[in-house]
């Protein structure tokens, strides 16, 4: 067995659902799969003494899960006052409309198509509810609309699918772009260096106790894969499917369709930079 303290980001062991920091509680959605790991993490975030809470990523359209999120907040003496989305993939956002009906909340997101209400989210925005402060961090790359939320009081960042609790994420070409993703990882690294962020609250998988280590691992992994793809193309593997079969031999074949999206993004990046 591998000691979790030696893994990238130092994933926290134990049950995934429940309190993660002084302000954040996870309610795990029942949608585990190869792509979603244990399931989608739905985060309830609130000041310890506040009666108001923010929910980030209600998750799939699963009535039992959505009601469990409401019940978890209410058992803590809180009312859900606002719903936020890290991005629009269904495992994070499909349940947002129904959740808004259950809670009477607005839904704020970067993509106007996902919003319920007039307010969106963008770079530099600060979401303030019941004394809680969430700073919006644009992190495109996994998708064009991906956002993270910095919780300064917890020295934590909610990362959606930009950084996962284990493994690495897909750059979902053509919506996701590798250059944007690398810039987003560097932005997150700056949070760990300049703002003291040490905890990652991901969209899937366990909490990470070493945010800087996780981001550095992601950057190194991307550089390594990019070099592998470049070499594969130079050696005559021309199509994304051929490159995946050559480069991703160590990855479960059920994940190859997702890997092909990342390879397409990597090949586009290499072409744009005149490297292939």
């Amino acid at each position: 067995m591998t000691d979790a303290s030696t893994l990238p980001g130092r994933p926290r062991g134990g049950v995934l659902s429940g309190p993660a920091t002084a302000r954040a509680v996870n309610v795990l959605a029942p949608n585990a799969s190869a792509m979603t790991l244990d399931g989608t993490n739905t985060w309830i975030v609130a000041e310890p003494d506040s009666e108001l809470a923010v929910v980030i990523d209600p998750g799939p359209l699963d009535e039992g899960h959505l009601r469990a999120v409401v019940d978890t907040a209410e058992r803590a003496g809180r009312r859900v006052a606002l719903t936020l989305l890290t991005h629009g993939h269904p495992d994070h956002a499909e349940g947002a409309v129904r959740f808004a009906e259950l809670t009477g909340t607005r839904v704020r997101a970067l993509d106007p198509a996902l919003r319920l209400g007039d307010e969106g989210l963008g770079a530099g925005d600060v979401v303030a509810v019941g004394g809680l402060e969430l700073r919006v961090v644009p992190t495109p790359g996994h998708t064009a609309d991906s956002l993270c939320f910095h919780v300064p009081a917890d020295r934590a960042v909610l990362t959606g699918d930009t950084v996962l609790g284990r493994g690495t994420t897909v750059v979902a070409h053509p919506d996701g772009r590798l250059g944007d993703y690398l810039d987003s990882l560097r932005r997150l690294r700056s949070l760990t260096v300049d703002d003291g962020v040490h905890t990652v609250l991901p969209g899937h998988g366990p909490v990470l106790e070493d945010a800087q280590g996780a981001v550095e691992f992601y950057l190194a992994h991307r550089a390594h894969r990019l070099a592998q793809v470049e070499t594969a193309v130079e050696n005559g593997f021309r199509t994304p499917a051929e490159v995946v079969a050559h480069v991703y031999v160590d990855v479960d074949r059920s994940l190859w369709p997702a890997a092909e999206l990342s390879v397409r993004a990597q090949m586009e990046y290499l072409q744009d930079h005149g490297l292939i």
Side-chain angles (χ1 to χ4, degrees):
M1 178 178 290
T2 302
D3 186 345
S5 66
T6 67
L7 297 174
R10 286 195 288 121
R12 185 183 298 176
V15 179
L16 295 180
S17 282
T21 67
R23 291 163 181 79
V25 174
N26 181 31
V27 183
L28 182 64
N31 62 333
S33 72
M35 289 296 294
T36 61
L37 306 181
D38 311 272
T40 300
N41 295 333
T42 294
W43 291 102
I44 303 172
V45 191
E47 280 297 300
D49 58 352
S50 176
E51 297 180 354
L52 301 178
V54 175
V55 165
I56 298 171
D57 289 352
L61 184 54
D62 181 293
E63 188 76 9
H65 172 64
L66 299 178
R67 290 188 179 276
V69 175
V70 175
D71 291 345
T72 300
E74 290 181 347
R75 283 197 300 270
R78 297 193 171 103
R79 175 177 64 83
V80 179
L82 181 64
T83 303
L84 305 178
L85 298 177
T86 61
H87 65 297
H89 279 168
D91 57 312
H92 293 258
E94 186 183 37
V97 172
R98 175 58 180 151
F99 189 72
E101 292 174 353
L102 291 172
T103 58
T105 59
R106 295 167 295 141
V107 177
R108 296 181 63 182
L110 178 61
D111 185 349
L114 299 171
R115 301 172 190 167
L116 289 177
D118 296 329
E119 283 191 282
L121 292 168
D125 286 351
V126 176
V127 177
V129 174
L132 174 72
E133 179 182 300
L134 294 169
R135 298 178 183 173
V136 178
V137 184
T139 49
H142 169 66
T143 61
D145 68 330
S146 288
L147 299 171
C148 292
F149 298 99
H150 176 201
V151 191
D154 277 347
R155 297 172 64 192
V157 60
L158 294 116
T159 55
D161 282 356
T162 299
V163 174
L164 304 179
R166 65 175 182 272
T168 55
T169 197
V170 63
V171 179
H173 183 274
D175 184 43
R177 295 177 60 86
L178 181 60
D180 291 341
Y181 187 62
L182 295 174
D183 287 343
S184 293
L185 290 177
R186 296 182 188 108
R187 192 170 297 120
L188 291 176
R189 181 172 57 187
S190 294
L191 283 182
T192 70
V193 173
D194 301 331
D195 296 274
V197 166
H198 61 67
T199 302
V200 172
L201 305 175
H204 303 277
V207 171
L208 300 179
E209 306 281 9
D210 177 15
Q212 185 172 353
V215 175
E216 294 288 1
F217 170 77
Y218 266 57
L219 283 165
H221 171 78
R222 282 294 162 200
H224 177 63
R225 283 297 195 207
L226 194 61
Q228 288 181 307
V229 170
E230 182 178 1
T231 300
V233 173
E234 289 173 349
N235 289 336
F237 298 93
R238 298 299 182 189
T239 70
E242 290 172 344
V243 172
V244 168
H246 178 70
V247 171
Y248 287 77
V249 291
D250 58 333
V251 174
D252 190 314
R253 289 180 69 97
S254 68
L255 297 175
W256 280 15
E260 186 170 327
L261 295 180
S262 284
V263 165
R264 289 180 182 277
Q266 290 170 96
M267 292 177 73
E268 179 183 71
Y269 179 89
L270 291 168
Q271 289 167 349
D272 289 347
H273 288 76
L275 298 174
I276 59 174

